[in-house]
Amino acid sequence: MGTLNELFDPDRVAVVGATAREGAVGRAVTSNLLADFDGETVPVNPNYDEVLGTPCVDAVDEAEADVAVIVVPPSIVLDAIEACGEAGVRNVVVITAGFGETGEDGADRERRLAELADEYELNLVGPNSLGIMSTPSGMNATFGPENALPGGLSFMSQSGAFVTAVLDWANDNGVGFKDVVSLGNKAVLDETDFVDHWGDDEDTDVIIGYLEGIEDGREFIETARETAAETPIVAVKSGRTSAGARAASSHTGTLAGSEKAYEAGLDQAGVIRAESVDELFDAAGILGSQPLPETDSVAIVTNAGGPGVMATDAVGDAGLELASFTGETTAALRESMPEEANVHNPVDVIGDADVDRFREALETVIADDNVGAALVLAAPTATLEFDELGEAVRETVADTDAPVAACLMGGDRTREPKRKLQAAGIPCYFDPARGIESLATLAEYRDIREREYADPMSFDVDRERAREVLATVRDREDNRLGVEAMELLDAYGIATPAGEIVDSPERASEVAAEIDGDVVMKIVSPDILHKSDIGGVAVGVADADVADTYEDLITRARNYQPDATILGVQVQEMVDLEDGVETIVGMNRDPQFGPLVMFGLGGIFVEVMEDTAFRVAPVSEPEAREMTEEIQSAPLLRGARGRDPVDLDAVIETIGRLSQLVTDFPAILELDINPLVALPDADGDANAAAVDVRLTVDPEELDLEGPDADPERPHTEEPHQ
Amino acid sequence: MGTLNELFDPDRVAVVGATAREGAVGRAVTSNLLADFDGETVPVNPNYDEVLGTPCVDAVDEAEADVAVIVVPPSIVLDAIEACGEAGVRNVVVITAGFGETGEDGADRERRLAELADEYELNLVGPNSLGIMSTPSGMNATFGPENALPGGLSFMSQSGAFVTAVLDWANDNGVGFKDVVSLGNKAVLDETDFVDHWGDDEDTDVIIGYLEGIEDGREFIETARETAAETPIVAVKSGRTSAGARAASSHTGTLAGSEKAYEAGLDQAGVIRAESVDELFDAAGILGSQPLPETDSVAIVTNAGGPGVMATDAVGDAGLELASFTGETTAALRESMPEEANVHNPVDVIGDADVDRFREALETVIADDNVGAALVLAAPTATLEFDELGEAVRETVADTDAPVAACLMGGDRTREPKRKLQAAGIPCYFDPARGIESLATLAEYRDIREREYADPMSFDVDRERAREVLATVRDREDNRLGVEAMELLDAYGIATPAGEIVDSPERASEVAAEIDGDVVMKIVSPDILHKSDIGGVAVGVADADVADTYEDLITRARNYQPDATILGVQVQEMVDLEDGVETIVGMNRDPQFGPLVMFGLGGIFVEVMEDTAFRVAPVSEPEAREMTEEIQSAPLLRGARGRDPVDLDAVIETIGRLSQLVTDFPAILELDINPLVALPDADGDANAAAVDVRLTVDPEELDLEGPDADPERPHTEEPHQ
């Protein structure tokens, strides 16, 4: 796949299937192109000499086009694509529907389409797309009713109807676009390609998206991170709820990953997530026009006490804070404002304020170094002209580096000043909460820009040994492994209590003798899931009782299930749970994002309180640390209620080692270390011990990979200790 | 205070301080009244013979007015009120500012104003009010720039600027009102009075409020409950965040209660809470015009797959569910829709649908008994006219009992159809999420209407004994009581482990001998807060060791703090914490709502996870039960992770008994039973035991109440067992 510059900025566009027939998609596309496109539009149709007054060629190889838009019936789309490939057209937009979204035949056709695109190295949009637009050249290669206004937003949408709706609204509200893409079925080009392209596009100020799924989560994260460091990305990811995901799947045939994975993945990618159309365009609007705030502190200047309180609430809700003014600011306000005014934040210039008093107050607070952003909030009064206020705000904003939003609380009289403010890049709303939320979006994006992404944690591990442990699944009837796979953790440097799986009472005693203190003994059998329930676990066994306990456990297991496969008995060092905190480190594999790592506190915290943190693996050290900090129960790790804090670094390292393991072996579908006992810091000891493990392995994936499947992966010597 | 009918529907309104002077408030009020009021406007001012062409009287007793609006300077407001009282005017609106909001002098003046109102039995609005309006008579007794349009909303606001802003917006958006009140400082009439009045007003469809505080929480709850059973109440309570509460306090001088109290109190009152202006009017709009849904199941009919997914997500977010259609509905849709349409919910009539297909689908799903409400969701297409769709929706809605909302996703072309839909009472938005949220408000109000309020739990208790225990606080240097007040709980029938506070080793041994098993011994001293830290607690003491342990504990306490007051040693039965769940039942007294009862699980759950439930006391049995159900850790009470469920009825009864105790004794400022050990159900035993208690008592409040301060309170014999 080449660059997408030509796709959005072609000299000549061919419409394969152009027609003048009323109501036909081929007419709408041709007509839209002929209307505004600066370049040449070339209708392609062997049945006509001209279409809508423009000469028509018989075949695409006569068109000398940079982009071909395909609107022929589904049965001949593949032929048309092949013709494009043969003719050297490298950019193809397939508007025709009837592919993956329509069942088996369509899915087959879509696979062949993708193969053709691959063979001819085509940048292919669609199929089942509304088309594409690019405003600098006026190119409207869609069959929609409206062309976009020029502007700095580049917009991709997995729903064509959403494009139509948004353009209809945007054109009437003066919101303009650089490029627009209806992604369709994303058989070839997907969200990652466009994020990548627009990230390098100087005319794109903000990338916005409506997505129902992401094709390759890991690739998207890496591309979006790089792009978001320069260009904000705001997206609605719909299908968030389980009902929504089912609806999305029936709509586009997208196989939905879990919402947890999208939540983690989009956050790791630096994408600002919107949950409604209003949020999407509020965010895009202010990101495209206002500078980023240096701090989270907001000043509010209002002529209305009540709305000032509402705005103050919104500051807290949005995770911002009310700025504390310096003494000079307060003194200056006291000097210039009437006595009844409130010179502290929120500044109340009171009901009889005219525009000069508003301007004075705004200029004063914006000059304060403690103020990161400002909201101007005005209710209608006899002494205030909204038009004049809008002008004063525009002038003040022109002289400042701090972002400013406005709320003009009124009806029709606010329309014109609002339009002018927005044209000057200053967002303007009725609702105080919405003004504050838009300022919060700027702060959110500032934090994204300031992120420093570290490399994934990487340790010196024994891959071959891990591979051997995983391969034992081939001897199983199902694809699950349990405590007998503890060696897998050991191979990846995750501390486990001393112990061994033994198959005789004598060996059990030998192992126990080597372990300090009493031991825990457990039956090991893939067929017995709830070991405790059948008395298959013995805790605090003294060395002298180990041999008898061995026989006892085996007998119980046999009695319980005569045909159970019994792999032996695990003899394990007792971990002192009293001093430790039980945690869980887990992983499952998401269809889009791949391995998703989970951390939480053991037992009730994960199961009942659902207090968990997720990240797409491989995770970096700062990401693993965030996981241990963002759970609500984190204070328990830090030593709440008079206990010693646990050795957090040991927990973080375990998360990193697990992340490396599940990234190295795509065959691992699910894995839980439960519990991972986190102990207080004690020099020299392994302060995070994995007491038990369960995993599910796909043996077929195991065949596909060698221990060094990814030779580019860096291997360092224990960087984090 | 009499009825408020005359306040809102007077024959004659006097303006005390009327003037024709440009810019004066007295001119604005007079002019507003003269403009539209059907009754007589009587200017009162000894300096003029006429004002704005209307004859002026010298004093209010010449006006024969039903309502007097007072706009004279603050220094003569009290005289003016007295004159109204003497003249027999029973309704007074004080617009003049300069009272409680301005400091000590103002607050004094406001107290005298309230006394005068009391003396003359005045219905007094304000001071510091914008005024009042009532549209049936056209009365605009405010100094604002706009009169309200007629409609079914009655609106009270603690911010005058918010009234002005809302009216400006509402007039341009066709939103009408029955009555409007700017509450001002609420020296006499407050939110409760207006809720009460509008609850009986047949012309009020919905009550909406902007409130920064509630004067008397308990009274408000009782009044609002009764009103909300017939008339929906929607309110913004601002000052939710701590910064917002500080801003509100500086704005109106309101002493803010805790947000937890408002959250619980407004919910118990049946008030639907809005957090923004949009939410307030979205909720009010649909509540005033659409029927209530019978179920929470929503059908979505759309011509746009993507927006359909967004709406489906919103259904989940709003706590509603997507309707499952009956077989007949699906069959009928399959019959009437094209093959590519999705006949399951969300119904996709696809992009080439015309208005007839939309109408057919909408009629079909609305007829399904599984459908409680419907959303019509349309993107612009070549085949659909929004105007025609709006008409079809209006016609369909006229024939159904189910509520319907619409989303027309487009720009200017949606304005006129949207206006017509809203005029027909059908809310119409761009954003699918907003349409669904408005339907969710209807479901929320249906649940409020269906609530059955039970009487507060009431038990046969020993008030006199409780009073005696509380009175012991008089002997203390501070106003705290600890474990020595366990008898207080006993007096209110709350089970406590067997035990006693003793003052000699001999008595300690006697008490221990009467208790089965080992005992717990604790030093009892108001001066030693952290008993465990100084070794002041001994657990699992065998009978033989009790006397020695007594001496030991006393010695330690003396060594630790020689001048500490030592009340003795508590000898207490050991409660088996292994089988039980530690819970906390607590209470603090809110300035507005009075006693606020809290329930949560002990230790980390309350302290770290902040997993708590609150109710304003006195609580009913269903309310106490909800408290045990709504905490996130509730599954632990129901027996998660293989444990026996605890005796929930015993916990609920304890909450009820505590609620009764703190309601009976306003002197109790704070009280915590921590832990209350909840045990598994075991017939005949007390399965919730209060192991420790701490409370703070105001001795002065104690003097004010007798044990039977409220003779109307019902006393039944143990109704809940």
Side-chain angles (χ1 to χ4, degrees):
Chain A
M1 192 189 73
T3 157
L4 301 184
N5 289 335
E6 206 177 48
L7 175 69
F8 286 110
D9 191 18
D11 292 323
R12 294 168 66 86
V13 177
V15 183
V16 181
T19 171
R21 186 165 50 81
E22 282 291 344
V25 169
R27 179 192 173 106
V29 174
T30 312
S31 151
N32 280 338
L33 279 166
L34 289 172
D36 299 315
F37 181 38
D38 292 343
E40 289 297 313
T41 303
V42 189
V44 180
N45 193 328
N47 303 319
Y48 301 112
D49 290 335
E50 58 90 27
V51 170
L52 301 173
T54 301
C56 184
V57 300
D58 286 348
V60 73
D61 59 359
E62 298 166 44
E64 296 174 40
D66 311 305
V67 170
V69 183
I70 297 190
V71 294
V72 298
S75 58
I76 55 170
V77 163
L78 297 178
D79 296 337
I81 291 171
E82 194 163 8
C84 290
E86 290 295 330
V89 184
R90 288 287 161 264
N91 304 284
V92 177
V93 179
V94 183
I95 287 181
T96 310
F99 288 81
E101 81 282 10
T102 57
E104 258 324 298
D105 286 356
D108 261 356
R109 197 156 41 227
E110 190 162 316
R111 269 188 292 277
R112 280 184 289 144
L113 173 147
E115 283 161 19
L116 280 175
D118 193 41
E119 184 181 336
Y120 290 104
E121 298 181 343
L122 303 180
N123 295 320
L124 186 145
V125 177
N128 191 20
S129 161
L130 184 80
I132 65 169
M133 294 175 178
S134 187
T135 57
S137 65
M139 175 180 69
N140 176 2
T142 76
F143 64 97
E146 314 240 4
N147 199 356
L149 295 177
L153 309 182
S154 282
F155 174 32
M156 58 184 165
S157 171
Q158 208 170 334
S159 158
F162 191 68
V163 172
T164 319
V166 160
L167 287 180
D168 199 70
W169 166 87
N171 287 355
D172 290 330
N173 285 273
V175 174
F177 297 85
K178 162 64 169 44
D179 298 330
V180 176
V181 178
S182 163
L183 295 168
N185 294 2
K186 307 192 289 192
V188 179
L189 293 178
D190 64 22
E191 49 285 336
T192 304
D193 301 303
F194 293 103
V195 163
D196 192 23
H197 171 72
W198 287 324
D200 293 331
D201 175 19
E202 290 195 356
D203 298 326
T204 293
D205 300 326
V206 183
I207 297 169
I208 62 177
Y210 168 84
L211 300 174
E212 295 182 358
I214 284 177
E215 295 301 301
D216 182 329
R218 189 72 226 172
E219 192 193 33
F220 181 81
I221 290 176
E222 275 158 26
T223 304
R225 267 182 188 183
E226 211 165 294
T227 297
E230 297 293 331
T231 309
I233 307 169
V234 191
V236 169
K237 158 65 182 72
S238 77
R240 285 179 288 109
T241 60
S242 54
R246 277 195 304 277
S249 164
S250 101
H251 169 223
T252 55
T254 302
L255 176 62
S258 76
E259 168 58 16
K260 289 285 181 205
Y262 277 107
E263 204 177 301
L266 289 172
D267 179 63
Q268 286 173 267
V271 171
I272 294 170
R273 202 159 166 188
E275 298 208 342
S276 69
V277 184
D278 284 344
E279 276 183 34
L280 182 66
F281 282 92
D282 284 0
I286 197 163
L287 285 166
S289 62
Q290 289 282 300
L292 300 178
E294 283 184 20
T295 75
D296 282 350
S297 300
V298 178
I300 298 166
V301 178
T302 183
N303 65 348
V309 178
M310 296 182 80
T312 304
D313 278 342
V315 166
D317 291 344
L320 301 175
E321 54 192 39
L322 214 56
S324 296
F325 298 145
T326 62
E328 293 90 68
T329 300
T330 314
L333 288 171
R334 214 185 297 279
E335 183 81 11
S336 57
M337 298 291 125
E339 203 189 333
E340 303 82 7
N342 180 13
V343 298
H344 300 284
N345 204 3
V347 177
D348 188 347
V349 300
I350 68 175
D352 65 349
D354 59 6
V355 67
D356 290 331
R357 199 190 295 163
F358 246 114
R359 182 202 303 262
E360 177 74 35
L362 180 60
E363 285 176 355
T364 307
V365 301
I366 281 189
D368 189 321
D369 283 343
N370 291 349
V371 171
L375 181 77
V376 178
L377 174 57
T381 66
T383 48
L384 186 72
E385 288 294 332
F386 279 155
D387 249 331
E388 290 178 8
L389 178 64
E391 201 182 324
V393 171
R394 295 202 305 278
E395 286 167 9
T396 310
V397 167
D399 290 338
T400 175
D401 292 334
V404 176
C407 290
L408 303 183
M409 298 185 74
D412 285 346
R413 70 171 87 184
T414 66
R415 191 159 305 171
E416 195 49 28
K418 182 177 164 186
R419 199 196 55 72
K420 284 188 199 158
L421 279 166
Q422 288 183 326
I426 301 160
C428 184
Y429 306 103
F430 180 101
D431 200 323
R434 227 166 136 187
I436 293 293
E437 281 154 17
S438 69
L439 293 175
T441 304
L442 293 177
E444 185 183 351
Y445 180 56
R446 179 206 56 217
D447 290 345
I448 288 170
R449 273 181 89 106
E450 287 175 359
R451 278 189 196 169
E452 285 178 22
Y453 293 108
D455 284 334
M457 295 172 89
S458 182
F459 303 90
D460 197 20
V461 297
D462 187 345
R463 276 195 186 194
E464 192 46 50
R465 198 162 128 237
R467 205 175 129 70
E468 283 162 15
V469 177
L470 290 172
T472 62
V473 80
R474 293 210 182 90
D475 309 330
R476 297 299 182 82
E477 283 178 21
D478 61 14
N479 58 352
R480 289 199 301 268
L481 294 175
V483 71
E484 67 277 13
M486 292 289 274
E487 206 188 327
L488 176 70
L489 304 183
D490 198 45
Y492 266 67
I494 295 170
T496 54
E500 192 174 310
I501 297 171
V502 298
D503 57 4
S504 71
E506 295 75 26
R507 181 65 196 144
S509 294
E510 282 167 29
V511 171
E514 286 161 22
I515 294 172
D516 277 352
D518 294 348
V519 295
V520 179
M521 295 175 68
K522 288 182 203 164
I523 198 80
V524 181
S525 164
D527 301 321
I528 301 174
L529 288 182
H530 302 287
K531 300 178 180 73
S532 304
D533 295 356
I534 63 144
V537 179
V539 177
V541 184
D543 286 8
D545 302 330
V546 165
D548 286 352
T549 305
Y550 179 93
E551 301 286 12
D552 203 34
L553 290 172
I554 297 284
T555 307
R556 282 183 201 209
R558 289 257 156 75
N559 287 345
Y560 170 72
Q561 197 171 327
D563 61 345
T565 302
I566 293 173
L567 302 176
V569 168
Q570 187 199 32
V571 179
Q572 194 183 49
E573 179 189 357
M574 293 227 347
V575 175
D576 188 357
L577 295 176
E578 275 298 299
D579 289 339
V581 176
E582 287 188 48
T583 70
I584 301 179
V585 185
M587 166 270 177
N588 64 58
R589 196 164 291 275
D590 183 81
Q592 269 78 39
F593 285 93
L596 187 68
V597 175
M598 185 272 282
F599 176 72
L601 261 55
I604 46 167
F605 291 94
V606 168
E607 289 170 26
V608 176
M609 307 297 279
E610 294 171 16
D611 182 26
T612 49
F614 288 88
R615 289 292 182 285
V616 174
V619 300
S620 64
E621 198 269 355
E623 284 173 334
R625 188 171 295 277
E626 282 162 22
M627 293 175 79
T628 66
E629 290 168 349
E630 76 187 28
I631 53 172
Q632 217 188 332
S633 48
L636 297 182
L637 297 172
R638 294 194 294 261
R641 296 170 64 80
R643 301 176 65 136
D644 287 331
V646 308
D647 180 357
L648 261 190
D649 288 337
V651 173
I652 290 162
E653 183 181 323
T654 306
I655 295 172
R657 289 179 179 273
L658 179 116
S659 156
Q660 183 173 352
L661 170 65
V662 298
T663 306
D664 285 349
F665 292 96
I668 302 177
L669 303 179
E670 287 183 281
L671 190 154
D672 272 322
I673 299 176
N674 181 10
L676 175 80
V677 178
L679 295 165
D681 207 339
D683 264 350
D685 270 16
N687 294 326
V691 174
D692 202 353
V693 69
R694 282 181 191 215
L695 63 159
T696 311
V697 181
D698 180 351
E700 294 188 18
E701 280 284 337
L702 207 53
D703 293 331
L704 299 176
E705 68 208 326
D708 287 294
D710 179 1
E712 282 178 39
R713 168 145 199 150
H715 283 265
T716 55
E717 295 288 312
E718 307 281 336
H720 301 288
Q721 276 296 10
Chain B
M1 194 189 72
T3 156
L4 301 183
N5 289 334
E6 207 177 48
L7 175 69
F8 286 111
D9 190 18
D11 291 325
R12 295 169 67 86
V13 176
V15 183
V16 181
T19 172
R21 186 166 49 81
E22 281 292 344
V25 168
R27 179 192 171 106
V29 174
T30 312
S31 152
N32 280 338
L33 279 165
L34 290 171
D36 299 315
F37 181 39
D38 292 343
E40 290 297 312
T41 303
V42 189
V44 179
N45 193 329
N47 303 320
Y48 302 112
D49 290 335
E50 59 88 30
V51 169
L52 302 173
T54 301
C56 185
V57 300
D58 287 348
V60 74
D61 60 359
E62 298 166 43
E64 296 175 39
D66 310 307
V67 171
V69 184
I70 297 190
V71 294
V72 299
S75 58
I76 56 170
V77 163
L78 297 178
D79 296 338
I81 291 172
E82 194 162 9
C84 289
E86 291 294 329
V89 184
R90 288 287 161 266
N91 303 285
V92 177
V93 179
V94 182
I95 286 181
T96 310
F99 288 80
E101 80 282 8
T102 57
E104 258 323 298
D105 286 357
D108 261 357
R109 198 155 42 226
E110 189 162 317
R111 269 189 292 277
R112 280 182 290 143
L113 173 148
E115 283 161 18
L116 280 175
D118 193 41
E119 183 181 337
Y120 290 106
E121 297 182 343
L122 304 180
N123 296 319
L124 187 145
V125 177
N128 190 20
S129 162
L130 183 81
I132 65 170
M133 293 173 179
S134 188
T135 56
S137 66
M139 176 180 69
N140 177 3
T142 75
F143 64 97
E146 313 240 4
N147 199 355
L149 295 177
L153 309 183
S154 282
F155 173 33
M156 58 183 167
S157 171
Q158 209 170 334
S159 157
F162 190 68
V163 172
T164 318
V166 161
L167 287 180
D168 199 69
W169 167 87
N171 288 353
D172 291 329
N173 285 275
V175 175
F177 297 85
K178 163 63 168 43
D179 299 329
V180 176
V181 178
S182 162
L183 294 168
N185 294 3
K186 306 193 288 192
V188 179
L189 293 179
D190 65 23
E191 50 285 336
T192 304
D193 301 304
F194 293 103
V195 163
D196 192 24
H197 171 71
W198 286 325
D200 293 332
D201 175 20
E202 290 196 355
D203 298 327
T204 294
D205 299 327
V206 183
I207 298 169
I208 61 177
Y210 168 83
L211 299 173
E212 296 182 359
I214 284 177
E215 296 300 303
D216 182 328
R218 188 72 225 171
E219 193 192 34
F220 181 81
I221 290 176
E222 275 159 26
T223 304
R225 268 182 187 183
E226 212 165 293
T227 297
E230 297 293 332
T231 309
I233 307 169
V234 191
V236 169
K237 157 65 182 73
S238 77
R240 284 179 289 111
T241 59
S242 53
R246 277 195 303 278
S249 164
S250 100
H251 170 223
T252 55
T254 301
L255 176 62
S258 76
E259 168 59 16
K260 289 283 181 206
Y262 277 107
E263 204 177 302
L266 290 172
D267 179 63
Q268 286 173 268
V271 171
I272 294 170
R273 203 159 165 186
E275 297 208 343
S276 68
V277 184
D278 284 344
E279 276 183 35
L280 182 66
F281 282 92
D282 284 359
I286 197 164
L287 285 166
S289 62
Q290 289 284 298
L292 300 179
E294 283 184 18
T295 75
D296 282 351
S297 300
V298 178
I300 298 166
V301 178
T302 183
N303 65 347
V309 178
M310 295 182 79
T312 304
D313 278 342
V315 166
D317 291 343
L320 301 175
E321 54 192 38
L322 213 56
S324 296
F325 298 145
T326 62
E328 293 90 68
T329 300
T330 314
L333 288 171
R334 215 185 298 278
E335 183 79 12
S336 58
M337 298 291 126
E339 203 189 334
E340 303 83 6
N342 180 13
V343 299
H344 301 284
N345 204 4
V347 176
D348 189 347
V349 297
I350 68 174
D352 65 347
D354 60 5
V355 67
D356 290 331
R357 200 191 294 163
F358 246 114
R359 182 203 302 264
E360 178 73 35
L362 179 60
E363 286 176 355
T364 306
V365 302
I366 281 188
D368 189 322
D369 284 343
N370 291 349
V371 172
L375 181 77
V376 178
L377 173 56
T381 67
T383 49
L384 187 71
E385 288 293 333
F386 279 155
D387 249 330
E388 289 178 9
L389 178 64
E391 202 184 323
V393 171
R394 296 201 304 278
E395 286 167 9
T396 309
V397 166
D399 290 338
T400 175
D401 293 334
V404 176
C407 291
L408 302 184
M409 298 185 74
D412 285 347
R413 70 172 88 181
T414 66
R415 191 160 303 172
E416 195 49 29
K418 182 176 163 185
R419 200 195 56 70
K420 284 187 200 158
L421 279 166
Q422 288 183 325
I426 300 160
C428 183
Y429 306 102
F430 180 101
D431 200 323
R434 226 164 136 189
I436 293 293
E437 281 153 18
S438 69
L439 293 175
T441 304
L442 293 177
E444 184 183 352
Y445 179 56
R446 178 206 58 217
D447 290 345
I448 288 170
R449 273 180 89 105
E450 288 175 358
R451 279 188 195 168
E452 285 178 21
Y453 294 108
D455 284 334
M457 296 172 89
S458 181
F459 303 89
D460 197 20
V461 297
D462 189 344
R463 277 194 185 195
E464 192 45 50
R465 200 163 125 234
R467 204 175 130 70
E468 282 161 16
V469 177
L470 291 172
T472 62
V473 80
R474 294 211 181 89
D475 309 329
R476 298 299 183 80
E477 283 177 22
D478 62 14
N479 58 351
R480 290 199 298 270
L481 294 175
V483 71
E484 68 277 12
M486 292 287 274
E487 205 187 328
L488 176 69
L489 304 183
D490 197 45
Y492 266 68
I494 294 170
T496 55
E500 192 175 309
I501 296 170
V502 299
D503 56 5
S504 71
E506 296 75 26
R507 182 64 197 145
S509 294
E510 282 168 27
V511 171
E514 286 160 24
I515 294 171
D516 277 352
D518 294 347
V519 294
V520 179
M521 295 175 70
K522 288 181 202 165
I523 199 79
V524 180
S525 163
D527 301 321
I528 301 174
L529 288 182
H530 301 288
K531 300 179 180 74
S532 304
D533 294 356
I534 63 146
V537 180
V539 176
V541 185
D543 285 9
D545 301 328
V546 167
D548 286 351
T549 306
Y550 179 95
E551 301 286 11
D552 203 34
L553 291 172
I554 296 285
T555 308
R556 282 182 201 211
R558 288 256 157 75
N559 287 345
Y560 170 71
Q561 197 171 326
D563 62 347
T565 303
I566 292 172
L567 302 176
V569 168
Q570 187 198 32
V571 179
Q572 195 184 47
E573 179 188 357
M574 290 217 8
V575 175
D576 187 358
L577 295 176
E578 275 297 300
D579 288 340
V581 176
E582 288 189 46
T583 70
I584 302 180
V585 184
M587 166 268 176
N588 65 58
R589 196 164 291 275
D590 183 81
Q592 268 78 39
F593 284 91
L596 188 68
V597 175
M598 184 272 281
F599 176 71
L601 261 55
I604 46 166
F605 291 94
V606 167
E607 288 169 29
V608 176
M609 307 296 281
E610 294 172 15
D611 182 26
T612 49
F614 288 87
R615 289 293 181 284
V616 175
V619 300
S620 65
E621 198 268 355
E623 284 173 335
R625 188 172 297 276
E626 282 162 21
M627 293 174 79
T628 66
E629 290 167 349
E630 75 186 30
I631 53 172
Q632 216 186 333
S633 48
L636 297 181
L637 297 171
R638 295 195 293 262
R641 295 170 66 78
R643 302 176 64 136
D644 287 331
V646 308
D647 181 358
L648 261 191
D649 288 336
V651 174
I652 290 162
E653 184 181 322
T654 306
I655 295 171
R657 288 178 180 273
L658 178 115
S659 156
Q660 183 174 352
L661 171 65
V662 298
T663 307
D664 285 350
F665 292 97
I668 302 176
L669 303 178
E670 287 183 281
L671 190 154
D672 272 322
I673 299 176
N674 181 9
L676 174 79
V677 178
L679 294 165
D681 208 338
D683 264 349
D685 270 16
N687 294 325
V691 174
D692 202 354
V693 68
R694 282 182 190 214
L695 63 160
T696 311
V697 181
D698 179 351
E700 296 188 18
E701 279 285 334
L702 208 52
D703 293 331
L704 301 175
E705 68 207 326
D708 288 294
D710 179 1
E712 283 178 40
R713 170 149 195 145
H715 282 265
T716 55
E717 295 288 312
E718 306 282 339
H720 300 289
Q721 273 298 9

